[in-house]
Amino acid sequence: MSLLLNRNTFGDPANTGKVLTRPEAENLFSSWVINPRLQLHMKQVAHLMKCWAAEKENINEADQWRWEMAGLLHDADWDQWPDQHCKKIIEELESRNIDPEILHAIASHGPLHFGVEPETKMDKMLYAFDELSGLAHAYALMRPNNYEGMDVKGVKKRLKEKSFAANVSREDIDDACKRAGILLDDLIAFIIPRQAVVK
Ligand SMILES: [Fe+2]
């Protein structure tokens, strides 16, 4: 099964800045994504994207939602249409005339799988948060106090254990950090306290 998208441009530049409203996005999210674990993962990534936009990129509140929306919907088709992963949600958002930057971020969140290179900072951060967020959460689930007291060292130790959360691609994490120009330690330190508040 190939998930290659076989194209590099998404959406129409005339739709730059166009977004779903929060209720529209939440409606799409809850009608397409049934698995509560996947829902939580997508909410966590959405929150990390919003925090990064606000804290590191100094992006205004309206634009923070574009980052958050990319995170919230990046895996929207994974639950019900895994063989059309990325393709289906992109086509849905294209039909709703959504900002091409959001579409490109979703399309490039797994360059090794979808064949689309992350280009913008939004692209790169979505790719960087995706797998590492999943690993940090798997670690939280096995800790007695969840995220409380979790540190960078502990997450890195789990990362080195290949059998821990084996479905999390270590290759993607390395590749994503390099592309984003962020040290693994810094990214983990950013994720832990912010992800901890997402329920
Ligand atoms: Fe994801």
Side-chain angles (χ1 to χ4, degrees):
M1 183 181 76
S2 168
L3 294 175
L4 289 173
L5 290 165
N6 295 316
R7 59 179 172 131
N8 272 304
T9 54
F10 304 91
D12 182 341
N15 293 325
T16 298
K18 291 197 183 154
V19 290
L20 295 178
T21 63
R22 188 175 288 276
E24 283 168 347
E26 285 174 355
N27 196 15
L28 177 62
F29 174 91
S30 52
S31 59
W32 281 28
V33 189
I34 299 157
N35 180 338
R37 284 189 63 170
L38 181 60
Q39 285 190 347
L40 180 61
H41 162 69
M42 291 161 72
K43 284 183 194 165
Q44 287 171 335
V45 173
H47 185 65
L48 293 170
M49 289 292 283
K50 178 196 158 75
C51 290
W52 188 275
E55 297 173 39
K56 303 285 186 181
E57 309 292 331
N58 291 317
I59 286 174
N60 68 43
E61 230 167 274
D63 265 353
Q64 288 168 27
W65 166 240
R66 295 189 318 119
W67 283 59
E68 189 179 355
M69 190 184 137
L72 187 70
L73 296 177
H74 79 281
D75 282 337
D77 49 17
W78 177 246
D79 215 1
Q80 300 193 65
W81 307 277
D83 56 338
Q84 294 181 63
H85 181 34
C86 258
K87 186 171 177 282
K88 191 168 172 72
I89 182 63
I90 288 166
E91 287 175 358
E92 174 70 21
L93 296 177
E94 279 180 325
S95 77
R96 298 195 190 197
N97 300 322
I98 295 304
D99 189 331
E101 194 187 0
I102 295 174
L103 299 171
H104 197 275
I106 294 175
S108 63
H109 85 265
L112 307 176
H113 313 283
F114 314 126
V116 180
E117 296 293 304
E119 289 165 11
T120 66
K121 202 64 196 278
M122 188 197 288
D123 294 350
K124 290 174 184 172
M125 291 318 300
L126 182 56
Y127 180 36
F129 283 136
D130 191 21
E131 297 286 293
L132 197 51
S133 157
L135 183 121
H137 189 65
Y139 180 36
L141 291 178
M142 62 165 272
R143 298 179 77 254
N145 296 317
N146 221 238
Y147 284 91
E148 204 185 310
M150 187 190 285
D151 62 8
V152 172
K153 210 171 130 205
V155 175
K156 284 179 86 177
K157 206 169 153 198
R158 299 283 97 75
L159 204 50
K160 285 197 187 112
E161 281 172 22
K162 298 279 183 258
S163 59
F164 180 81
N167 58 334
V168 170
S169 167
R170 273 63 173 174
E171 193 189 356
D172 277 358
I173 292 173
D174 278 351
D175 182 48
C177 284
K178 284 193 194 106
R179 288 175 191 254
I182 297 166
L183 294 174
L184 177 65
D185 288 43
D186 294 345
L187 195 60
I188 296 171
F190 185 87
I191 289 174
I192 296 170
R194 291 164 184 85
Q195 181 154 295
V197 304
V198 183
K199 300 280 181 259

